[in-house]
Amino acid sequence: MWKTTVILGAVLALPVQADTAKIVGLGASSCKGFNREIEEAPALQRDYFAWAQGFMSGALIRAPQGVDEGLDLTPPTFPLAEQVDFLRSYCAKNPEQDYMDAARALYRRLRELGTL
């Protein structure tokens, strides 16, 4: 169990490592695919964002004691609509990345905002 916790923390803290964990769901999509899908059906952003929230919440649950305690995933200084914009902008600038990478970047941004 301890190793699993460390691995999940590494997924969020380090550059992408293909063999670290198998990501499933919408987050496994490429940013290029995300960009194409939301152009065709903008409401899909909501589904992608729900995946990102679950991914980040899972990271909080699995974080070792003392790591990211008190991190607010919905701080008043970075409302949900702005978080959706952040993810869309990340993928627009990085189509070769995966949507999961955008979610990881958002998580890091939330940490930088001092919400701990």
Side-chain angles (χ1 to χ4, degrees), residues 76-106:
T77 58
F78 198 10
L80 297 179
E82 288 181 27
Q83 292 183 35
V84 171
D85 291 343
F86 177 95
L87 293 166
R88 185 178 50 250
S89 176
Y90 182 97
C91 279
K93 293 175 186 171
N94 302 284
E96 74 288 350
Q97 298 289 315
D98 290 330
Y99 186 81
M100 178 204 67
D101 297 315
R104 289 175 59 232
L106 174 57

Side-chain angles (χ1 to χ4, degrees), residues 72-80 82-83 109-110 112-115:
D72 185 356
L73 296 178
T74 58
T77 58
F78 198 10
L80 297 179
E82 288 181 27
Q83 292 183 35
R109 179 72 177 123
L110 288 165
E112 291 169 4
L113 290 173
T115 59

Side-chain angles (χ1 to χ4, degrees), residues 27-46:
S29 301
S30 67
C31 277
K32 183 178 180 179
F34 166 77
N35 296 335
R36 184 180 60 250
E37 287 187 28
I38 66 165
E39 186 175 314
E40 295 169 6
L44 281 175
Q45 287 181 96
R46 184 179 47 235

Side-chain angles (χ1 to χ4, degrees), residues 5 14 63 68:
T5 302
L14 300 174
D68 292 345

